[in-house]
Amino acid sequence: MIGVAVVGYGYWGPNLVRNLAETPGAKLIWVCDLKKDRLAGVQLRYPTVQITDDFDEVLRDPRVDAVAIATPVSAHYMLAMKALMAASEEARRMVEEAARRRLILAVDHTFIHTGAVRKMREIIENGLGDIYYYDSVRVNLGLFQHDVSVIWDLAVHDLSIMDYVLPEKPVAVSATGMGHVAGEPENIAYLTLFFESKLIAHIHVNWLAPVKVRRTLIGGSSKMIVYDDLEPSEKIKVYDKGITLNGNPQMDGEKVYDMRVGYRTGDMYAPQLDMTEALGRELKQFVDCVMTNAQPIADGHAGLRVVRILEAATQSLAQRGRVVELEPARLIA
């Protein structure tokens, strides 16, 4: 059995606790939170689980093999580094330390464990053709965060999905946005990501929208995908639509002659999806990885790639959309 502690019992922590309590191979030992009223609720529902507001008490317990962190974003780095350092003696960075000590570092990219996103990756690998664009919208009214902008709160989900389903990684990012509440971070933002190929990605996130939208379009040379996470059943729709180029283009200065653009309109189908709860699947995979020393799908490197994009986007946002190149990650062996 893998002994697990959950740190943070606010918005996402209860979901982690519920799933860990039902995950074969995992034993939930601790729930840690600074607010004692939240911990009282844990004790009522899970009487065998220990509670504390002291993270160090969790780390001192030799029964704890894994720590799931569900605190506000600004505390992730400190807590994760502290957890890694407790299992080893010293660390420089989370990914480096986990690799050096052969620990399993997983990031909570929950969406990539959904049946819809896994099916999307399968379709992209086997039938979409050359990928032209990735266009996503994630907007709603609230919840305003005080420690991070809307990019870190909402765009992180789209970036993690993009990192999982696309066959190549972005090389540069541009971001624009605006904050409409005095003293608070940006509440609306637009990210554009550039790749070595002609693929382009665009992400729109907003805390000030009158409706909730969770929609992604992926266009390929053969087919196109519409992913709507709010759809109750047909979350993925695949369209046999696109263009065909006919004739031989002839250059005359800056003009192209004899090129004919045709439009192909075929069928739409909605593939059957695995409806297993994503968080349960994710936690089961994590437990299996700890037991077998395998790497999870969303490992530390995946988290690092997403964080690098978020940091570059934040830098671009501060400079009114200046394109920021994404340098390859350099990890110390």
Side-chain angles (χ1 to χ4, degrees), residues 91-106:
R92 294 189 61 181
R93 299 187 186 279
M94 289 187 287
V95 176
E96 295 163 1
E97 185 66 12
R100 186 183 294 116
R101 302 297 176 184
R102 297 183 180 179
L103 300 175
I104 303 302
L105 177 61

Side-chain angles (χ1 to χ4, degrees), residues 195-236:
F195 298 76
E196 290 287 358
S197 69
K198 291 186 177 181
L199 168 62
I200 190 168
H202 187 262
I203 297 171
H204 169 205
V205 286
N206 188 354
W207 285 330
L208 273 180
V211 294
K212 184 175 183 178
V213 179
R214 299 285 187 270
R215 187 176 294 118
T216 299
L217 280 68
I218 304 177
S221 58
S222 299
K223 295 178 181 178
M224 301 180 181
I225 295 174
V226 176
Y227 163 42
D228 191 337
D229 192 48
L230 300 184
E231 279 283 341
S233 56
E234 297 182 345
K235 293 181 182 295
I236 297 289

Side-chain angles (χ1 to χ4, degrees), residues 26-194:
K27 180 176 177 58
L28 183 61
I29 297 176
W30 286 97
V31 172
C32 177
D33 196 285
L34 294 176
K35 296 187 176 180
K36 294 185 178 181
D37 57 329
R38 293 176 177 173
L39 294 176
V42 175
Q43 209 161 38
L44 284 174
R45 187 166 183 180
Y46 307 95
T48 62
V49 176
Q50 293 181 255
I51 58 174
T52 182
D53 60 358
D54 183 2
F55 185 47
D56 290 331
E57 185 177 7
V58 173
L59 299 180
R60 286 193 297 267
D61 190 337
R63 298 173 299 164
V64 175
D65 302 303
V67 178
I69 297 171
T71 60
V73 174
S74 57
H76 285 182
Y77 178 80
M78 179 194 70
L79 293 172
M81 284 299 290
K82 202 167 187 179
L84 289 171
M85 290 169 67
S88 54
E89 293 184 0
E90 60 181 356
R92 294 189 61 181
R93 299 187 186 279
M94 289 187 287
V95 176
E96 295 163 1
E97 185 66 12
R100 186 183 294 116
R101 302 297 176 184
R102 297 183 180 179
L103 300 175
I104 303 302
L105 177 61
V107 292
D108 188 10
H109 291 173
T110 310
F111 280 99
I112 72 171
H113 296 275
T114 63
V117 173
R118 289 166 54 233
K119 176 61 69 174
M120 210 161 36
R121 172 169 166 151
E122 178 186 320
I123 296 168
I124 289 172
E125 289 177 341
N126 298 297
L128 219 63
D130 297 330
I131 311 300
Y132 292 155
Y133 62 84
Y134 180 103
D135 197 340
S136 66
V137 178
R138 187 175 298 271
V139 303
N140 44 256
L141 188 60
L143 295 170
F144 274 71
Q145 306 294 320
H146 303 292
D147 57 340
V148 293
S149 72
V150 69
I151 291 178
W152 288 81
D153 180 49
L154 294 183
V156 60
H157 301 303
D158 299 288
L159 292 172
S160 67
I161 294 170
M162 191 181 72
D163 181 78
Y164 177 67
V165 303
L166 293 185
E168 56 181 307
K169 308 304 179 190
V171 297
V173 61
S174 169
T176 56
M178 192 62 63
H180 298 92
V181 178
E184 297 293 335
E186 291 83 2
N187 51 258
I188 181 172
Y190 303 88
L191 282 69
T192 303
L193 296 111
F194 305 92

